[in-house]
Amino acid sequence: MGTNDIFDILKTEFGDYILEYKDQQPVDPYILVNPDQLFDICHTLRDKEEFQFDYLMSLSGMDLGEKLGVVYHLYSMNHKHKVVLKVSVPKEDPKVPSVERIWRSADWHEREAYDLMGIHFEGHHNLIRILCPYDWEGHPLRKDYQAPEFYHGMEVS
Amino acid sequence: MGLLNRLDNPYEGGGIVLGTVEDLLNWGRSKSNWYLHFGLACCAIEFMAMNASHFDFMRFGTIPRTSPRQADFIMVTGTVTLKMAERIKILYEQMAEPKYVISVGSCSNCGGPYWEHGYHVLKGVDKIIPVDVYIPGCPPRPEAFEEGMIQLQKKISQQAIFNKRKKLAAEDKNQ
Amino acid sequence: MSEKKRIELEYSQLDSERMRINVGPQHPSTHGVLRLEVEVDGEIVTEVVPHMGYLHRSFEKYCEQLTYLQVIPYIDRMDYIAAINNEWTYVLGMEKLLGIKVPEKVEYMRVIMAELNRIANHQIAVATFGLDAGAFTPFLFFFRDRELIIWILEKLSGARLLYNYLRVGGLAADVYPGFKEDCLNVVKQVRKTNAEIMDLLINNKIFIQRSANVGILPADVAINYGCSGPVLRGSGVKYDLRKDEPYSIYDRFDFDIPVGKGEVGVIGDCWNRNIVRVYEMEESCRIIEQAVAQMPMEGDVKAMVPKKIKPPVGEVYFRAENPKGDLGFYIVSNGTDKPERIKARGTSFVNLSVLPEISQGYMFADLILILGSIDIVLGEVDR
């Protein structure tokens, strides 16, 4: 099933919450979605007969300048098709609903996106840092990040 | 070394070996150095390959020990990050004297490939613990490991145990 | 032989308390610097919390400061045991973004090197798994054979472990005469050692008692957690990217996908994950023999690629079958010669997340064995 078919079916169900469908080579086609209804959309994608996206390949945080984004790559073991979902939130208040109860692999991916990008996932049971030390300050993968001079007395740079 | 030559011909001179106590203790320490089981990253895989039968690190008298209390020296193999640096310091302080440190690979010598933009990498393990021998390479060949071990053995065999302060003061004056 | 079962916790008359133990970053068997915070009730594990980040080397931040070509040595250092497979995934993603087709000779070379690295990786995996269970001799046998593979790769690329050999559009250097004979020698030796190891380790009664019925991972849990590679195939799911989404020239070769069948123990336990790796070594030998027979020795090793790689604005997600599972690269390009963002979806990062789920209720010594059967490498977990 191609991404435009998935887009049409989702549009009939969720209406305005599905924002956009982009398909230009060499871009992988993706569907831009409003973050408010993200949990229900992902639930439909996992459980509906035609979709059955039961495998979350990857969840990445992105720094888009004034906004922060999250990209979901999904795959279906039965139908063997893929889809790419994107959401974007403002940088001052980056809150995205968590999908860890739908796909358990999202648990650590969301902790990593929080640690390195600073995106808050609402509904996550344990959103703490995973790669950087627990008392690290700042979110390193943002474009405007400045590394600290010293950490616990050790020179950083 | 005079001691080893004598050991090769034990019955010349009636089976008596003469040497200094310092030489004897240094010989014992350098030829049976036990290391702490400590592998961080890629250099640890080369270290494992060196312990295997083709290169055979154990013929230098080294045995892996798991607890720092029982180890004589520590080989820091791999990248030292800021999170790990505090643990390395604790491990080093838990070891009993006399203890030595070999820094293996460019990451623990000077930060390695991550020297420029690594915000979480400590640029060289010698910023937190004193290092005796540096082995360069990324990762170093097993032959380089063996050369590093031989250098450490040489260093230990020339160490002063008695009258250490006098000897060190004399060396400083000569320099 | 008594069967090991998941022990139901019973609170006895004695006043007992659960204890939190630290399996610290320095431990002979955690396969790298990984810290496990384990809560035990006597000898039985009730909860495991992994703490990682002790090898976080900021790979993704580095990628934004370097050009597309300079990134390749850093990609090697993610899964440092099988470095060619990492480079290949990245290079295939870039070739898809740029629309480049590589010559036939390069494709065959890449397949042969990737399969040799797959054998090398599984040799270390089975050797360290045996070491965790207490068997030292298979470690020596496998490392002796691994030296043969490393010598071939050293003659090709100059390095023993981290090759930096693949380029976008081809290889860095040409093949040497005598390459085909060396590969066939390796195949012969690997088959001989595998036959010895089946008797020495795999069908050994003590090894079976230790690893069968331990760490059972059901198939639907594995898919939900995103597992891949031998961890998923050991649970009975027949899924391999080389057959389901063939990339490069894998559709020209004839090979099987081994799956855990429960010959000994239960499908999804440590023994079945291990036997999948041993059978995969045999399948890799078959692929190498076919590739060596079909490979042309004449030809150029580089396609027509511009000197400065500047892909058009776009993004691609490419995944390939690494020895440990599927590694994915999400490459976003903004039109300049430096990438906007490269996200590496590490295989071991996702496979490790299943550890707290499958280790509850087993003994403490089994926890170490379960960690060994998942086969992680910390360079991929922490990047």
Side-chain angles (χ1 to χ4, degrees), chain C residues 158-175:
Chain C
R160 280 173 56 101
L161 200 66
L162 301 164
Y163 311 108
N164 190 13
Y165 186 56
L166 262 53
R167 299 281 182 268
V168 177
L171 305 170
D174 208 342
V175 70

Side-chain angles (χ1 to χ4, degrees), chain C residues 310-328:
Chain C
K310 260 193 197 171
V313 175
E315 57 192 48
V316 71
Y317 181 84
F318 195 85
R319 57 181 189 153
E321 182 79 23
N322 263 22
K324 295 182 160 62
D326 77 45
L327 170 73

Side-chain angles (χ1 to χ4, degrees), chain A residues 116 130-134 136 140-141 145 147-148 151-152 154-157, chain B residues 81-87 115-123 127-128:
Chain A
L116 298 178
I130 190 171
L131 294 178
C132 292
Y134 293 122
W136 194 260
L141 268 188
Y145 176 71
Y151 171 72
H152 285 201
M154 291 178 282
E155 214 183 319
V156 171
S157 53
Chain B
T81 57
L82 298 177
K83 204 169 176 181
M84 193 65 202
E86 301 167 6
R87 278 75 177 172
W115 66 277
E116 204 176 359
H117 305 290
Y119 53 81
H120 195 237
V121 172
L122 185 68
K123 313 294 187 295
K127 293 201 193 291
I128 46 170

